[in-house]
Amino acid sequence: MNTPYNVEQTAVIGAGTMGRGIVISLARAGLPVLWLDNDPRATETGLAMLKQTWAQQVAKGRIDQAEADACLARVSQVTTYADLAQVDLVIEAVYENLALKQEIFRTLDDTLKAEAILASNTSALDIDAIAAVTQRPEQVLGLHFFSPAHVMKLLEVVRGQRTSPAVLDAAQALGQRMGKEVVVAGNCPGFIGNRMLATYVAEARKLLLEGATPRQVDEALQAFGMAMGPFRMYDVVGIDLEWRARQLAGVGMEAPLAQVDNALCALGRFGQKTGKGYYRYAPGSREAVHDPEVDALVLKVAHDLGVRPREIGEAEIRERCLLALVNEGAKILEESVASCSDDIDRVYLHGYGFPADIGGPMRWADQQGLGSLLGRLERLQGLFGEHWRPSGLLMRLAAEGKPLANVREGRA
């Protein structure tokens, strides 16, 4: 793909888990990388991790020693923003805090050459709010990698309101060079994948408070074909990430759906990394073991919130979680956050463990028949309230007998 932006020299800011994975992805694609963190020791630790990662790849026969040495040689630690002045593209990969990211982008804008592209690895924050602090909003966009970034195939390229087509082309070309499955998303909270995930996980949390156990919810969705259920996923990612974000922001701590997580985190149950989360884990093991203590904790939280538990079956779990996913996907299509249903399906196949044989949530919806789907959503709306109101796009397509697969840029 030819673009006016020739990305050859790159930089990454942040030497945490995401930054390390992004550096590996760039270096493996043959690109030199300058690596900056406000704590030089973090970069040094990161470099040691990179060396270990490539040594493991050699030991497994996936690459030879010459390639491992070449990859490591492409990565250079730097200590000041001035060292980044001539890079073609920089990817910021610090934690999710808008004020911090804006501060970094102001500095990058003042320091980097005029034609440099500035990208943020944010998973949900407003790209336009980040671009607004620069004098080059046309050259600002999101590059949302999935963790671990050097393993996961998906890359959401997030276009801001003023991101130029040439910059989007350059970002897509970079993603393809790294071997990623590239999907362009519009700018909204959570973009495509995490915006849909929020509705899916909200239903899972409601089901817990209504009487299901974490294991029941996970097993029902894994039986459908999901790579893992939502509560196993939270144990892998770390339950404390959202908990700390709520504390930092000073909002959301009192939300009913956050109370089970809050209670787990208050006990130091952060997930796999602490050996306990929604499940228990033997030392050095990733096998999730059912923990009756968590079931009891969920019942106590529900009681304290005044919720009376009831029996919940697998069919209801699947119905509510999957239909929440589809209805939000339809809203995303309607708003042109995704350009077509296939892009949404690619996001869920390559980033969220949706069963490959089904082909993605939007294809699943078409297989169900949109008329049938609409009736099921309306039933849930009657039972549980207005948040289940079917999207306008679903209602229109069902009336016209058209599938989601026909929709392009919000129109069928």
Side-chain angles (χ1 to χ4, degrees), residues 238-260:
I239 304 170
D240 57 317
L241 295 187
E242 287 188 7
W243 177 64
R244 293 183 200 282
R246 287 193 292 274
Q247 290 179 317
L248 196 65
V251 294
M253 287 299 286
E254 303 306 315
L257 296 187
Q259 295 315 305
V260 172

mmCIF file of all heavy atoms in Angstrom, residues 238-260:
data_model
loop_
_atom_site.group_PDB
_atom_site.id
_atom_site.type_symbol
_atom_site.label_atom_id
_atom_site.label_comp_id
_atom_site.label_asym_id
_atom_site.label_seq_id
_atom_site.Cartn_x
_atom_site.Cartn_y
_atom_site.Cartn_z
ATOM 1 N N GLY A 238 -6.978 -9.648 34.925
ATOM 2 C CA GLY A 238 -6.746 -9.010 36.225
ATOM 3 C C GLY A 238 -7.984 -8.230 36.647
ATOM 4 O O GLY A 238 -8.312 -7.206 36.042
ATOM 5 N N ILE A 239 -8.670 -8.718 37.672
ATOM 6 C CA ILE A 239 -9.895 -8.067 38.148
ATOM 7 C C ILE A 239 -9.590 -6.669 38.669
ATOM 8 O O ILE A 239 -10.425 -5.767 38.629
ATOM 9 C CB ILE A 239 -10.552 -8.906 39.272
ATOM 10 C CG1 ILE A 239 -10.835 -10.332 38.790
ATOM 11 C CG2 ILE A 239 -11.854 -8.281 39.757
ATOM 12 C CD1 ILE A 239 -11.263 -11.278 39.903
ATOM 13 N N ASP A 240 -8.359 -6.469 39.144
ATOM 14 C CA ASP A 240 -8.004 -5.197 39.782
ATOM 15 C C ASP A 240 -7.846 -4.044 38.802
ATOM 16 O O ASP A 240 -7.854 -2.882 39.221
ATOM 17 C CB ASP A 240 -6.709 -5.358 40.577
ATOM 18 C CG ASP A 240 -5.546 -5.840 39.724
ATOM 19 O OD1 ASP A 240 -5.756 -6.760 38.899
ATOM 20 O OD2 ASP A 240 -4.428 -5.309 39.879
ATOM 21 N N LEU A 241 -7.728 -4.324 37.485
ATOM 22 C CA LEU A 241 -7.498 -3.222 36.540
ATOM 23 C C LEU A 241 -8.667 -2.246 36.546
ATOM 24 O O LEU A 241 -8.475 -1.029 36.689
ATOM 25 C CB LEU A 241 -7.250 -3.761 35.128
ATOM 26 C CG LEU A 241 -5.988 -4.588 34.919
ATOM 27 C CD1 LEU A 241 -5.802 -4.912 33.446
ATOM 28 C CD2 LEU A 241 -4.752 -3.874 35.455
ATOM 29 N N GLU A 242 -9.885 -2.759 36.393
ATOM 30 C CA GLU A 242 -11.055 -1.874 36.399
ATOM 31 C C GLU A 242 -11.289 -1.303 37.800
ATOM 32 O O GLU A 242 -11.721 -0.151 37.943
ATOM 33 C CB GLU A 242 -12.297 -2.625 35.923
ATOM 34 C CG GLU A 242 -12.291 -2.894 34.422
ATOM 35 C CD GLU A 242 -13.614 -3.460 33.924
ATOM 36 O OE1 GLU A 242 -14.590 -3.515 34.712
ATOM 37 O OE2 GLU A 242 -13.674 -3.847 32.745
ATOM 38 N N TRP A 243 -11.021 -2.096 38.819
ATOM 39 C CA TRP A 243 -11.182 -1.647 40.213
ATOM 40 C C TRP A 243 -10.274 -0.440 40.490
ATOM 41 O O TRP A 243 -10.731 0.576 41.028
ATOM 42 C CB TRP A 243 -10.845 -2.821 41.130
ATOM 43 C CG TRP A 243 -10.873 -2.553 42.604
ATOM 44 C CD1 TRP A 243 -11.950 -2.203 43.360
ATOM 45 C CD2 TRP A 243 -9.763 -2.661 43.512
ATOM 46 N NE1 TRP A 243 -11.593 -2.092 44.686
ATOM 47 C CE2 TRP A 243 -10.259 -2.365 44.805
ATOM 48 C CE3 TRP A 243 -8.420 -2.986 43.364
ATOM 49 C CZ2 TRP A 243 -9.437 -2.386 45.935
ATOM 50 C CZ3 TRP A 243 -7.606 -3.014 44.481
ATOM 51 C CH2 TRP A 243 -8.113 -2.708 45.752
ATOM 52 N N ARG A 244 -9.014 -0.523 40.074
ATOM 53 C CA ARG A 244 -8.084 0.602 40.273
ATOM 54 C C ARG A 244 -8.504 1.804 39.431
ATOM 55 O O ARG A 244 -8.367 2.947 39.861
ATOM 56 C CB ARG A 244 -6.657 0.176 39.938
ATOM 57 C CG ARG A 244 -6.089 -0.859 40.887
ATOM 58 C CD ARG A 244 -4.641 -1.200 40.576
ATOM 59 N NE ARG A 244 -4.259 -2.476 41.147
ATOM 60 C CZ ARG A 244 -3.948 -2.680 42.430
ATOM 61 N NH1 ARG A 244 -4.011 -1.671 43.280
ATOM 62 N NH2 ARG A 244 -3.598 -3.885 42.859
ATOM 63 N N ALA A 245 -9.002 1.537 38.216
ATOM 64 C CA ALA A 245 -9.457 2.644 37.351
ATOM 65 C C ALA A 245 -10.640 3.367 37.989
ATOM 66 O O ALA A 245 -10.725 4.603 37.938
ATOM 67 C CB ALA A 245 -9.839 2.110 35.976
ATOM 68 N N ARG A 246 -11.558 2.612 38.619
ATOM 69 C CA ARG A 246 -12.700 3.237 39.318
ATOM 70 C C ARG A 246 -12.207 4.090 40.478
ATOM 71 O O ARG A 246 -12.692 5.207 40.696
ATOM 72 C CB ARG A 246 -13.668 2.160 39.839
ATOM 73 C CG ARG A 246 -14.500 1.490 38.766
ATOM 74 C CD ARG A 246 -15.636 0.675 39.364
ATOM 75 N NE ARG A 246 -15.195 -0.506 40.099
ATOM 76 C CZ ARG A 246 -14.959 -1.686 39.555
ATOM 77 N NH1 ARG A 246 -15.103 -1.865 38.254
ATOM 78 N NH2 ARG A 246 -14.583 -2.725 40.297
ATOM 79 N N GLN A 247 -11.238 3.561 41.226
ATOM 80 C CA GLN A 247 -10.695 4.323 42.357
ATOM 81 C C GLN A 247 -10.023 5.604 41.884
ATOM 82 O O GLN A 247 -10.213 6.675 42.462
ATOM 83 C CB GLN A 247 -9.693 3.461 43.131
ATOM 84 C CG GLN A 247 -10.333 2.311 43.904
ATOM 85 C CD GLN A 247 -9.296 1.480 44.625
ATOM 86 O OE1 GLN A 247 -8.242 1.162 44.066
ATOM 87 N NE2 GLN A 247 -9.571 1.101 45.856
ATOM 88 N N LEU A 248 -9.232 5.479 40.808
ATOM 89 C CA LEU A 248 -8.502 6.623 40.263
ATOM 90 C C LEU A 248 -9.456 7.701 39.767
ATOM 91 O O LEU A 248 -9.252 8.895 40.005
ATOM 92 C CB LEU A 248 -7.597 6.155 39.116
ATOM 93 C CG LEU A 248 -6.495 7.091 38.651
ATOM 94 C CD1 LEU A 248 -5.468 7.302 39.747
ATOM 95 C CD2 LEU A 248 -5.803 6.526 37.408
ATOM 96 N N ALA A 249 -10.511 7.267 39.076
ATOM 97 C CA ALA A 249 -11.468 8.216 38.501
ATOM 98 C C ALA A 249 -12.426 8.760 39.556
ATOM 99 O O ALA A 249 -13.043 9.817 39.362
ATOM 100 C CB ALA A 249 -12.255 7.545 37.377
ATOM 101 N N GLY A 250 -12.570 8.026 40.665
ATOM 102 C CA GLY A 250 -13.500 8.465 41.705
ATOM 103 C C GLY A 250 -14.953 8.278 41.321
ATOM 104 O O GLY A 250 -15.838 8.908 41.910
ATOM 105 N N VAL A 251 -15.220 7.434 40.331
ATOM 106 C CA VAL A 251 -16.596 7.157 39.912
ATOM 107 C C VAL A 251 -16.773 5.656 39.703
ATOM 108 O O VAL A 251 -15.822 4.956 39.371
ATOM 109 C CB VAL A 251 -16.979 7.897 38.599
ATOM 110 C CG1 VAL A 251 -17.009 9.401 38.801
ATOM 111 C CG2 VAL A 251 -16.038 7.536 37.458
ATOM 112 N N GLY A 252 -18.000 5.190 39.920
ATOM 113 C CA GLY A 252 -18.330 3.799 39.621
ATOM 114 C C GLY A 252 -18.161 2.828 40.765
ATOM 115 O O GLY A 252 -18.582 1.677 40.659
ATOM 116 N N MET A 253 -17.559 3.260 41.870
ATOM 117 C CA MET A 253 -17.315 2.324 42.977
ATOM 118 C C MET A 253 -18.624 1.837 43.602
ATOM 119 O O MET A 253 -18.697 0.725 44.118
ATOM 120 C CB MET A 253 -16.435 2.972 44.046
ATOM 121 C CG MET A 253 -14.980 3.117 43.639
ATOM 122 S SD MET A 253 -14.139 1.544 43.295
ATOM 123 C CE MET A 253 -13.911 0.887 44.946
ATOM 124 N N GLU A 254 -19.673 2.675 43.548
ATOM 125 C CA GLU A 254 -20.947 2.316 44.179
ATOM 126 C C GLU A 254 -21.886 1.575 43.231
ATOM 127 O O GLU A 254 -22.965 1.153 43.640
ATOM 128 C CB GLU A 254 -21.640 3.585 44.713
ATOM 129 C CG GLU A 254 -20.821 4.385 45.699
ATOM 130 C CD GLU A 254 -20.333 3.540 46.879
ATOM 131 O OE1 GLU A 254 -21.155 2.769 47.420
ATOM 132 O OE2 GLU A 254 -19.154 3.636 47.234
ATOM 133 N N ALA A 255 -21.522 1.433 41.950
ATOM 134 C CA ALA A 255 -22.403 0.793 40.974
ATOM 135 C C ALA A 255 -22.693 -0.649 41.391
ATOM 136 O O ALA A 255 -21.765 -1.399 41.728
ATOM 137 C CB ALA A 255 -21.770 0.825 39.592
ATOM 138 N N PRO A 256 -23.970 -1.075 41.378
ATOM 139 C CA PRO A 256 -24.290 -2.448 41.800
ATOM 140 C C PRO A 256 -23.491 -3.521 41.059
ATOM 141 O O PRO A 256 -23.033 -4.491 41.682
ATOM 142 C CB PRO A 256 -25.792 -2.564 41.482
ATOM 143 C CG PRO A 256 -26.297 -1.167 41.576
ATOM 144 C CD PRO A 256 -25.185 -0.297 41.069
ATOM 145 N N LEU A 257 -23.282 -3.329 39.745
ATOM 146 C CA LEU A 257 -22.594 -4.371 38.970
ATOM 147 C C LEU A 257 -21.101 -4.450 39.279
ATOM 148 O O LEU A 257 -20.438 -5.393 38.852
ATOM 149 C CB LEU A 257 -22.803 -4.154 37.468
ATOM 150 C CG LEU A 257 -24.244 -4.268 36.961
ATOM 151 C CD1 LEU A 257 -24.291 -4.204 35.442
ATOM 152 C CD2 LEU A 257 -24.908 -5.552 37.451
ATOM 153 N N ALA A 258 -20.566 -3.468 39.994
ATOM 154 C CA ALA A 258 -19.140 -3.507 40.360
ATOM 155 C C ALA A 258 -18.909 -4.135 41.728
ATOM 156 O O ALA A 258 -17.754 -4.365 42.112
ATOM 157 C CB ALA A 258 -18.562 -2.090 40.343
ATOM 158 N N GLN A 259 -19.989 -4.449 42.462
ATOM 159 C CA GLN A 259 -19.809 -4.821 43.860
ATOM 160 C C GLN A 259 -19.134 -6.179 44.072
ATOM 161 O O GLN A 259 -18.378 -6.347 45.025
ATOM 162 C CB GLN A 259 -21.153 -4.774 44.592
ATOM 163 C CG GLN A 259 -21.756 -3.381 44.680
ATOM 164 C CD GLN A 259 -20.747 -2.320 45.088
ATOM 165 O OE1 GLN A 259 -20.099 -2.442 46.128
ATOM 166 N NE2 GLN A 259 -20.591 -1.291 44.271
ATOM 167 N N VAL A 260 -19.378 -7.147 43.198
ATOM 168 C CA VAL A 260 -18.695 -8.439 43.353
ATOM 169 C C VAL A 260 -17.200 -8.252 43.118
ATOM 170 O O VAL A 260 -16.366 -8.739 43.899
ATOM 171 C CB VAL A 260 -19.282 -9.508 42.403
ATOM 172 C CG1 VAL A 260 -18.433 -10.781 42.441
ATOM 173 C CG2 VAL A 260 -20.723 -9.828 42.786
#
